[in-house]
Amino acid sequence: MAKLTDRILKLKEQSKNAEVWIDPERAQIVTRFYSKNAGKYSIPVLRARSFKNLMEKKELYLGDDELIVGERGRAPKLIPTFPEIASHSVEDLKVLDAQDPIPYHVSPKTMDIYEKEVIPYWEGSALRDKMFNQLSDEWQTIYNCGLITETMEQRAPGSMALDERMFGMGLKKAKQEIEEAIENLDFLTDFQATDKREQLTAMAITCDGMMIYAKRYADMLENKAARETDPARKKELEKMADVCRRVPENKPRDLWEVLQMSWFMHVGVITESNGWDACNAGHIDRHFYPYYQKSLEAGLLDQESAKELLSAWWIKYNNHPAPAKYGVSALESGTYNDFVNISLGGITKDGKDAVNDLSYIFLEILDEIEFIQPQVHVLLSRMNPEHFLKEACKVIRKGRGFPAMFNAEALIEQQLRVGKTISDARGGGICGCVETTCYGKEAAPLIGYINIAKILELALQNGYDTRVDKQVGPKSGDAKDFKSYEALMEAFKKQAQYVIDTKLRGSQYLIQMFAKYVPQPFLSVLIEGCVESGKDYNDGGPKYNVSILPGVGIGTVTDSLSAIKKHVFDENNYSMGEVIDALNADWQNNEHMRLTFANKTPRYGNDNDYADSIMKEVSDFFIDTVDGIKDSRGGTYRMNMLPTTCHMYFGEVTGATCDGRRAGKPLSEGISPVQGADLSGPTASLKSAAKMDHSRTCGTLLNMKFLPDVLKGDTGISKLASLIRTYFTYGGHHIQFNVCDADTLLLAQQTPDDYNDLIVRVAGYSDYFNVIGENLQNEIIQRYAHEI
Amino acid sequence: MIEGNIFNIEHFAIHDGPGIRTTIFLKGCPMACVWCHNPEGLSGKRHIVRSGKKCIVCIECIKCCPQGALEISTPHGIVFDSEKCIACGKCVDICCANAIEMVGGAMSPRQVADIALKDVTFYDESGGGVTFSGGEPLFQWEFVRECAIRLKERGVHIAVETSGAVKNDVIKHIAPHVDLFLYDLKHIDPAEHKKYCGMGNENILENLETLSAMGKELIIRMVVIPGINDAPEYLERLCRFLKETSGIRSVSLLPLHKSAVEKYKRLDKEFFIADFEIPDDEKMESVAEIFQNKGFTVQIGS
């Protein structure tokens, strides 16, 4: 296959080496627009006009040798802020500038703009400021003590992927449909017609905004072409100008046009708002393939130039680190990665194998470009060829955690269970880290994480949090008096119910605040259902809506309950009083008990039903409690088991646990066993993990580590492939691999400069080892430690 | 009911035959190869090993030992007298730090089969199965046969990794229950074989002929040990022997490794091969070439 061209290598280096800076342009343009126009229009129309104004004014960037154009900021890795949602204070900006790792540099000039212009306008009226004071004391308490996080506190609901629908119409046609929908509103009988008209009008305005932006690029490229002296580049610039004149207004006709259109839609969504997980391009292999084939057949491109174009598009994603997070959001998700998670393989809407030539080419690009963004997953179906799986395994073997593997059939089952059509379910895939989402038709935001380990702490402490010295949960009884394991379990469930209820009450409110104050009309144009219903993406407009609640620490909790069950209630080795005293003392002077609990307990991850049945009871309880509750957008809440980096933050705020873990140390991540507790080999870990009811979740995350030696040669690849297939046969949702030995990681920690390229799997995403911070580094090393 | 003495069961064993396998390690071996990498499998009896590093000196083991085989000693923590130990396992159960381990334990064929069958879906998917290894698994051949019968009833592929150092009758009895023999040949020269492995190889070569004549699937496995068994004349002799006496055309070469050094330490045994040379990739290739030139299919590393 064709190697990466010099142009791509250069673009890659540029993107890799660019520093991350806060770009004040968006904040300044939006602030000026709001200060002149707020109050003149309905909120959706105001947002849409502000978006259009921004697309008319924002500076255009064209890098040397670029083939695909458009940036969120004024240049790669310049990150705008979204003060209408969360207004960074001077102090916040200083923290971002100084933080290490992942700094967001702030120049004095930028600081000046924020201080003089942006902050004075938004302080107190940014959505975050409006919302936070209104949340109940109970909510504030569980938030502050680390029982929950809240994704909507500074970023808009996102977590969606696009499908091929827009490629079949173009924005001009989309706008016509919106206008028809406005005409068809029935003001006599539909009492929401007025609101719908505002929403639809806003959507139409954003179409104009995007088309204007593309036209500006076309003009700029034409000018550049006219002045270009190198004939080859001149020709390219002319073609690029043509492309930008054509799309996104009209249907794309060839590969170049479809890639540019895809990228314009991406830029539009991430400029309009700061939604989580950016904007996922979805099933890129199956959606781009017809255009790829057409370009090749028409002789417009050959294999090499096609791959170059695809690579140029790919690299654009790396120019866009996540919007600058602060406070708890930075702790739950401390990374530049903005979680675009594009999909390869799977099953087409009409039930056929979706793997094609592009699936293989994208695997190659993924392998050769070596970025953390875009993330890639393989949706592995029974009907996908073994050769494709093995090619994916070869990339996995490189050790960067890509591609993550997902079970296509299991995803379909999950979606059918909640009432999606079979065709829509096949069109679904993964968003963010491991969240099952119907591409192009669904809003599937995460609403923040829930700390399962700390819930057990509450059950053991009668609802009291000794760290913050406060009664935070209900009084579920003095655990020292518990006479049975069942009594403890009952207290645990009581605390869990309270935390879930309190969390969801907050979410119901926040969802509506976003629906009301920060609609996303441009995104609404792209997601099916919003035009038909006349409702915004944030307000239940999409065909499907789900709100996902991820739980963190299932391994830690399972092992802790297993230890208490065995040593206190089965064998009477210790009393509950002794156990609680030992936990309160963080195991000081209790090493014997700590080791007994850690080493002499059946632990999750060993295909042992004593432990695994506890995992099952706990996870079923959370699923049963959350599953199907109506959210305030007209969707439903669903459970999920994903940590991102929250197992670190939640670990910091959770005291000692009965699995032998000391206070402040990381919790188990995803549905992986506690680091070092799975001593029976990978087949046993997989079987334990598969005992969770994956079909009733919106995704689970399982991390597995391998020493490179294990995966050597063709036989190593075959065995890895079989391992994945078997886990999926058991119904597992997702599995990701870290292939690297602990020695290498230790060396990288000591001499980071020698390991700048070392990428490791964190949790549902990969990151550079050097930038993840010492604590997380240690946690990842710990995952391997028992292997040596 | 017959019981086996087993010192380890490894799931996801990927170097002991095709596909994903479970390997059952049986205790006891009639040979005494100086490079043995499973020295804990040599003795036919179960015994205790301690890891001083993990010990927190809680002295629970001393309190529970009926033989007084454990004693406190400053500054070494706890010392263990293997002469007094009867391997009752009480200290193993009580040790909170998992610093004491039992090597070997009695299991019934049913227990072994139940554990191995847990991973049957992995075998199905990968074309794997169960491998009996050791020690010398055929040292307990009747037990292996019972396990194999149970597993074959459920369609599981059975491999035996053997040194062939057993009576010819044993080979004839076990062969019908085994799908694949991974046959370790240490050295083709009887005298050299005796020098490094404690016994000659005449019986081993005869057994190989028997298995080949029975039409069993066989893969020859050889640990490449520079200066001991890698001389071209030895390798060519081995090739000649295989061609003249068997249908075997498949050889698996394993580089010598010293990863067992910690095991020797824990067992308090001398590690003879400390200064042996580890063959590099080039060496392995050159050995492989000799076999390939004689028409053998060679796999390096597993």
Side-chain angles (χ1 to χ4, degrees):
Chain A
M1 223 7 205
K3 288 266 159 274
L4 294 181
T5 59
D6 288 346
R7 178 209 307 269
I8 296 304
L9 293 173
K10 196 169 131 195
L11 289 172
K12 178 184 158 185
E13 280 308 297
Q14 278 171 0
S15 180
K16 193 175 141 190
N17 297 333
E19 284 187 346
V20 177
W21 288 82
I22 293 290
D23 184 347
E25 185 195 47
R26 183 190 182 281
Q28 195 173 36
I29 294 176
V30 168
T31 303
R32 285 178 185 172
F33 185 87
Y34 264 75
S35 52
K36 269 198 210 129
N37 295 289
K40 285 192 198 162
Y41 310 102
S42 68
I43 288 172
V45 171
L46 178 72
R47 293 278 303 154
R49 283 177 173 266
S50 173
F51 174 76
K52 181 168 169 242
N53 176 59
L54 182 59
M55 299 319 263
E56 283 165 349
K57 293 195 172 134
K58 81 195 275 317
E59 199 175 301
L60 302 182
Y61 171 83
L62 173 67
D64 289 347
D65 284 343
E66 270 201 316
L67 297 174
I68 303 290
V69 292
E71 290 287 327
R72 176 171 49 185
R74 285 171 301 165
K77 293 198 178 168
L78 297 196
I79 310 301
T81 66
F82 300 77
E84 70 274 31
I85 296 170
S87 176
H88 293 78
S89 67
V90 170
E91 198 42 50
D92 294 332
L93 293 170
K94 282 183 182 161
V95 169
L96 286 167
D97 185 43
Q99 76 188 14
D100 179 35
I102 63 162
Y104 288 75
H105 300 294
V106 184
S107 73
K109 200 175 154 200
T110 298
M111 192 63 97
D112 197 52
I113 292 170
Y114 277 91
E115 217 171 340
K116 296 217 171 95
E117 213 176 330
V118 179
I119 297 171
Y121 183 80
W122 293 107
E123 209 170 20
S125 68
L127 183 59
R128 185 173 202 257
D129 301 339
K130 284 195 190 94
M131 297 187 306
F132 242 75
N133 303 332
Q134 299 297 321
L135 288 157
S136 70
D137 288 348
E138 290 83 359
W139 187 94
Q140 303 275 1
T141 300
I142 63 169
Y143 175 80
N144 287 327
C145 76
L147 276 155
I148 60 161
T149 67
E150 177 50 66
T151 50
M152 283 180 284
E153 54 129 337
Q154 50 184 276
R155 291 188 68 177
S159 311
M160 87 318 282
L162 304 182
D163 61 4
E164 77 284 27
R165 194 171 58 101
M166 276 297 135
F167 302 145
M169 58 201 301
L171 286 182
K172 191 166 65 185
K173 178 85 192 310
K175 192 183 162 196
Q176 277 168 15
E177 285 188 3
I178 295 165
E179 284 163 348
E180 279 163 28
I182 296 173
E183 271 172 38
N184 290 334
L185 286 173
D186 176 2
F187 282 84
L188 190 61
T189 59
D190 181 354
F191 303 141
Q192 293 178 329
T194 310
D195 288 342
K196 286 179 183 174
R197 181 170 64 188
E198 294 306 310
Q199 296 289 357
L200 289 164
T201 305
M203 290 182 214
I205 293 168
T206 59
C207 291
D208 286 339
M210 260 333 278
M211 290 189 283
I212 290 166
Y213 180 63
K215 287 262 159 57
R216 288 177 61 216
Y217 257 114
D219 294 344
M220 180 245 230
L221 289 159
E222 238 167 52
N223 282 332
K224 294 259 185 197
R227 291 202 306 269
E228 179 61 53
T229 50
D230 173 11
R233 180 61 177 160
K234 190 184 183 77
K235 217 175 134 200
E236 267 170 19
L237 290 167
E238 282 165 359
K239 169 69 183 173
M240 289 160 74
D242 264 3
V243 169
C244 291
R245 219 166 277 296
R246 174 85 196 172
V247 293
E249 185 171 337
N250 304 291
K251 288 196 269 191
R253 294 165 304 185
D254 61 21
L255 185 65
W256 206 321
E257 288 180 357
V258 81
L259 290 173
Q260 183 62 63
M261 175 149 175
S262 162
W263 185 250
F264 273 142
M265 294 193 294
H266 183 86
V267 171
V269 172
I270 65 173
T271 306
E272 177 178 56
S273 196
N274 65 352
W276 282 95
D277 308 333
C279 174
N280 188 349
H283 295 297
I284 53 174
D285 48 0
R286 64 180 91 157
H287 294 155
F288 293 163
Y289 186 71
Y291 304 92
Y292 167 77
Q293 210 178 14
K294 220 165 127 187
S295 290
L296 246 49
E297 278 167 10
L300 296 170
L301 295 168
D302 58 17
Q303 294 266 355
E304 190 182 347
S305 51
K307 186 174 168 186
E308 181 174 61
L309 204 51
L310 292 164
S311 303
W313 171 80
W314 189 275
I315 286 170
K316 293 296 272 187
Y317 284 93
N318 197 58
N319 292 347
H320 297 82
K325 293 161 264 187
Y326 54 104
V328 171
S329 281
L331 293 171
E332 71 185 345
S333 175
T335 173
Y336 282 145
N337 198 327
D338 208 14
F339 308 116
V340 166
N341 198 343
I342 53 190
S343 190
L344 301 177
I347 307 175
T348 61
K349 287 184 176 173
D350 55 350
K352 298 196 182 86
D353 172 16
V355 170
N356 59 40
D357 288 353
L358 278 183
S359 318
Y360 289 94
I361 293 172
F362 279 124
L363 274 183
E364 266 185 37
I365 292 174
L366 166 69
D367 186 24
E368 292 165 5
I369 291 193
E370 302 179 306
F371 278 158
I372 57 167
Q373 299 196 91
Q375 310 196 98
V376 178
H377 68 269
V378 165
L379 211 50
L380 181 67
S381 160
R382 274 276 144 202
M383 63 175 86
N384 292 153
E386 203 62 13
H387 184 66
F388 177 63
L389 169 58
K390 286 185 177 170
E391 290 299 306
C393 286
K394 284 182 193 166
V395 183
I396 289 172
R397 183 167 61 183
K398 300 277 179 76
R400 297 192 300 272
F402 297 135
M405 304 301 294
F406 288 88
N407 183 348
E409 279 76 14
L411 257 79
I412 290 170
E413 192 176 301
Q414 287 165 27
Q415 296 182 81
L416 290 178
R417 184 183 79 88
V418 298
K420 294 176 194 171
T421 67
I422 183 74
S423 150
D424 288 352
R426 288 172 183 148
I430 292 301
C431 271
C433 293
V434 301
E435 301 92 294
T436 304
T437 310
C438 183
Y439 287 1
K441 298 179 169 59
E442 183 167 36
L446 281 188
I447 55 162
Y449 302 79
I450 183 162
N451 186 343
I452 303 178
K454 197 166 177 76
I455 288 173
L456 179 57
E457 182 179 307
L458 291 188
L460 291 168
Q461 305 286 353
N462 203 1
Y464 198 80
D465 183 352
T466 50
R467 193 183 66 96
V468 297
D469 209 7
K470 192 171 180 180
Q471 184 74 30
V472 302
K475 293 203 163 175
S476 51
D478 187 341
K480 291 185 180 182
D481 300 335
F482 288 163
K483 294 286 180 285
S484 69
Y485 173 74
E486 288 68 31
L488 172 62
M489 194 51 115
E490 200 181 312
F492 172 73
K493 288 177 179 175
K494 191 171 176 184
Q495 297 292 347
Q497 185 76 53
Y498 172 78
V499 174
I500 291 168
D501 287 350
T502 309
K503 161 81 190 158
L504 294 194
R505 273 191 212 107
S507 298
Q508 296 290 54
Y509 165 71
L510 295 173
I511 289 169
Q512 273 307 303
M513 289 298 277
F514 267 97
K516 191 163 179 190
Y517 290 104
V518 191
Q520 305 186 74
F522 181 64
L523 175 56
S524 303
V525 175
L526 307 184
I527 301 295
E528 192 180 324
C530 296
V531 175
E532 291 83 339
S533 63
K535 284 186 164 181
D536 188 74
Y537 176 86
N538 291 353
D539 196 24
K543 185 170 178 187
Y544 303 113
N545 294 277
V546 62
S547 294
I548 301 174
L549 178 62
V552 178
I554 187 77
T556 305
V557 164
T558 298
D559 289 357
S560 299
L561 286 167
S562 181
I564 297 172
K565 186 173 189 215
K566 177 163 192 268
H567 298 291
V568 177
F569 296 111
D570 288 0
E571 298 183 358
N572 296 311
N573 296 326
Y574 298 98
S575 71
M576 281 305 288
E578 286 170 320
V579 172
I580 288 161
D581 290 344
L583 293 177
N584 287 342
D586 195 14
W587 301 111
Q588 292 273 317
N589 303 319
N590 270 305
E591 192 61 2
H592 190 270
M593 190 198 294
R594 191 183 79 80
L595 288 172
T596 303
F597 279 23
N599 292 326
K600 299 291 178 184
T601 298
R603 299 188 69 166
Y604 168 65
N606 296 286
D607 193 14
N608 173 314
D609 276 331
Y610 188 97
D612 295 349
S613 62
I614 294 173
M615 178 281 287
K616 182 90 170 86
E617 182 176 358
V618 172
S619 59
D620 275 346
F621 176 78
F622 277 87
I623 294 167
D624 292 340
T625 305
V626 171
D627 193 57
I629 295 176
K630 298 266 181 281
D631 74 16
S632 55
R633 291 180 293 143
T636 46
Y637 288 101
R638 304 281 173 203
M639 203 59 203
N640 162 294
M641 291 284 171
L642 158 77
T644 314
T645 57
C646 222
H647 61 298
M648 304 295 296
Y649 164 59
F650 280 167
E652 279 170 29
V653 297
T654 303
T657 44
C658 285
D659 58 338
R661 177 188 147 281
R662 294 181 203 278
K665 297 289 175 195
L667 305 180
S668 63
E669 37 80 20
I671 60 165
S672 311
V674 169
Q675 296 81 343
D678 51 331
L679 299 171
S680 311
T683 57
S685 300
L686 294 182
K687 284 188 68 191
S688 284
K691 290 175 195 172
M692 184 177 283
D693 201 346
H694 296 249
S695 299
R696 295 202 300 142
T697 69
C698 250
T700 60
L701 179 141
L702 179 65
N703 216 325
M704 190 156 263
K705 64 272 168 186
F706 278 111
L707 298 175
D709 209 33
V710 175
L711 304 178
K712 257 190 190 162
D714 290 343
T715 52
I717 290 296
S718 297
K719 286 168 190 186
L720 180 60
S722 306
L723 201 67
I724 296 166
R725 288 271 196 207
T726 311
Y727 182 54
F728 289 175
T729 300
Y730 280 118
H733 170 82
H734 152 275
I735 184 165
Q736 65 185 27
F737 299 90
N738 259 312
V739 184
C740 191
D741 52 39
D743 290 343
T744 307
L745 297 178
L746 284 168
L747 272 177
Q749 213 176 19
Q750 284 151 17
T751 53
D753 290 347
D754 299 341
Y755 292 90
N756 276 326
D757 290 346
L758 182 60
I759 295 175
V760 292
R761 195 76 179 165
V762 181
Y765 71 98
S766 291
D767 214 333
Y768 292 101
F769 188 71
N770 283 349
V771 308
I772 58 177
E774 198 183 338
N775 287 341
L776 193 51
Q777 284 180 346
N778 288 338
E779 192 265 327
I780 289 173
I781 292 171
Q782 180 62 30
R783 290 183 203 164
Y784 293 93
H786 70 290
E787 296 273 327
I788 41 176
Chain B
M1 176 48 102
I2 188 165
E3 282 195 329
N5 187 1
I6 286 161
F7 70 94
N8 190 17
I9 294 181
E10 186 188 359
H11 295 272
F12 196 64
I14 54 173
H15 300 300
D16 300 324
I20 294 171
R21 310 189 73 82
T22 298
T23 299
I24 318 291
F25 291 91
L26 290 102
K27 264 182 84 65
C29 182
M31 292 169 75
C33 311
V34 298
W35 51 79
C36 180
H37 73 281
N38 278 336
E40 71 274 35
L42 285 173
S43 152
K45 289 185 198 151
R46 66 180 201 166
H47 54 93
I48 298 292
V49 289
R50 280 191 73 251
S51 158
K53 252 191 257 167
K54 289 185 182 170
C55 176
I56 60 162
V57 203
C58 68
I59 69 167
E60 291 295 323
C61 56
I62 296 179
K63 288 194 227 161
C64 79
C65 180
Q67 294 294 107
L70 292 144
E71 268 179 42
I72 192 121
S73 131
T74 42
H76 306 293
I78 290 171
V79 290
F80 169 60
D81 183 350
S82 57
E83 298 291 313
K84 289 187 189 165
C85 177
I86 53 166
C88 67
K90 284 191 175 143
C91 59
V92 176
D93 293 340
I94 210 155
C95 178
C96 68
N98 281 354
I100 312 179
E101 211 183 314
M102 177 73 82
V103 181
M107 290 183 89
S108 69
R110 174 189 290 279
Q111 285 172 313
V112 169
D114 284 352
I115 291 174
L117 286 170
K118 279 187 155 195
D119 284 359
V120 74
T121 316
F122 292 92
Y123 313 150
D124 291 349
E125 190 62 58
S126 65
V130 172
T131 300
F132 292 89
S133 181
E136 169 48 61
L138 299 185
F139 211 54
Q140 303 181 49
W141 72 272
E142 286 162 300
F143 174 74
V144 172
R145 186 184 60 187
E146 290 307 306
C147 294
I149 288 171
R150 280 179 182 275
L151 288 165
K152 287 199 80 65
E153 274 172 8
R154 303 282 194 89
V156 176
H157 178 272
I158 303 292
V160 166
E161 193 198 352
T162 178
S163 65
V166 290
K167 286 189 185 138
N168 194 254
D169 272 0
V170 168
I171 289 291
K172 286 179 186 153
H173 288 311
I174 198 74
H177 307 287
V178 176
D179 299 298
L180 168 68
F181 283 91
L182 303 165
Y183 206 94
D184 292 351
L185 280 184
K186 324 287 184 190
H187 210 297
I188 189 65
D189 185 82
E192 291 289 301
H193 196 279
K194 186 155 190 186
K195 186 168 154 197
Y196 292 109
C197 304
M199 60 161 64
N201 65 2
E202 297 81 353
N203 169 37
I204 291 169
L205 299 178
E206 184 201 342
N207 287 341
L208 184 59
E209 284 182 59
T210 304
L211 282 176
S212 183
M214 290 173 83
K216 298 309 292 186
E217 194 187 340
L218 282 149
I219 296 172
I220 297 297
R221 305 232 294 183
M222 187 181 134
V223 180
V224 176
I225 308 160
I228 308 281
N229 65 2
D230 67 333
E233 60 268 32
Y234 287 141
L235 298 173
E236 277 163 22
R237 243 167 91 189
L238 175 58
C239 290
R240 227 170 19 247
F241 169 80
L242 292 173
K243 286 205 143 174
E244 282 166 9
T245 60
S246 74
I248 303 166
R249 297 295 176 263
S250 187
V251 175
S252 173
L253 298 175
L254 312 157
L256 176 73
H257 63 82
K258 298 183 186 174
S259 62
V261 57
E262 281 298 319
K263 291 187 190 172
Y264 277 83
K265 239 185 244 168
R266 259 183 289 153
L267 290 165
D268 210 11
K269 285 190 172 184
E270 192 183 344
F271 192 55
F272 290 103
I273 61 164
D275 51 1
F276 275 37
E277 185 191 332
I278 303 279
D280 54 17
D281 290 352
E282 207 179 318
K283 175 88 237 173
M284 295 302 290
E285 289 296 336
S286 74
V287 172
E289 213 179 296
I290 293 176
F291 284 99
Q292 280 157 351
N293 288 341
K294 302 284 178 195
F296 289 88
T297 317
V298 182
Q299 211 190 354
I300 296 177
S302 64

